[in-house]
């Protein structure tokens, strides 16, 4: 295919092919295992700043999610807007237990939550937490309200 091309054109083509292949490789993500998610997640610094000051939650330093090996999630002081289909907040922090299930495909995965009236969490809510893997470990991110508005809450796994 490249036999009729000059050396420079052949080099440019091969570089472009390598870049395109590398981009596709990053797009395909292996399905995470439950063990990949186990740990305690706290709000990212950015999420804590945005949601504490501008959304009426006050201090969110205690907000965390613990993922257990059996995919049980203990949610402590989680902003109530996460559980509203429109992202509406009463400024309340909710606590309770949910059961997680990894869902999705090769271009991205999510964590579906099944809540059955535990603590102050609303029962019967199914959520899709996006599993972000910019590196390791995986982060949990939820879009609040209209996705076009770009409001998100991100939890990062604690290290150490």
């Amino acid at each position: 295919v490249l036999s009729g091309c000059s050396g420079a054109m052949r080099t440019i083509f091969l570089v472009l092919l390598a870049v395109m292949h590398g981009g596709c490789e990053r797009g395909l993500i292996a399905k995470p295992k439950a063990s990949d998610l186990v740990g305690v997640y706290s709000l990212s610094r950015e999420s804590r700043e945005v949601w504490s000051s501008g959304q009426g939650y006050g201090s969110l330093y205690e907000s965390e999610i613990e993922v257990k090996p059996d995919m049980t999630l203990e949610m402590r002081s989680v902003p109530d807007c996460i559980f509203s289909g429109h992202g509406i907040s009463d400024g309340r922090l909710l606590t309770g237990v949910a059961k997680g299930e990894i869902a999705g495909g090769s271009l991205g995965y999510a964590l579906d939550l099944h809540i059955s009236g535990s603590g102050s969490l609303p029962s019967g809510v199914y959520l899709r937490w996006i599993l972000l893997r910019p590196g390791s470990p995986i982060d949990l991110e939820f879009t609040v309200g209209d996705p076009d508005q770009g409001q998100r809450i991100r939890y990062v796994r604690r290290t150490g």
Side-chain angles (χ1 to χ4, degrees), residues 23 47 58 63 75 122 127:
S47 289
S63 183
M75 305 174 84
L127 304 173

Side-chain angles (χ1 to χ4, degrees), residues 47-99:
S47 289
R48 189 172 37 250
E49 289 170 2
V50 168
W51 292 95
S52 291
S53 62
Q55 302 298 328
Y57 285 106
S59 176
L60 287 170
Y61 284 98
E62 302 300 320
S63 183
E64 65 183 18
I65 298 169
E66 183 174 356
V67 180
K68 308 266 185 174
D70 67 352
M71 295 300 290
T72 297
L73 286 80
E74 291 185 7
M75 305 174 84
R76 296 179 279 276
S77 299
V78 177
D80 63 348
C81 63
I82 292 172
F83 303 98
S84 164
H86 302 291
I88 297 168
S89 165
D90 291 330
R92 296 182 313 129
L93 299 175
L94 307 177
T95 299
V97 177
K99 193 70 172 172

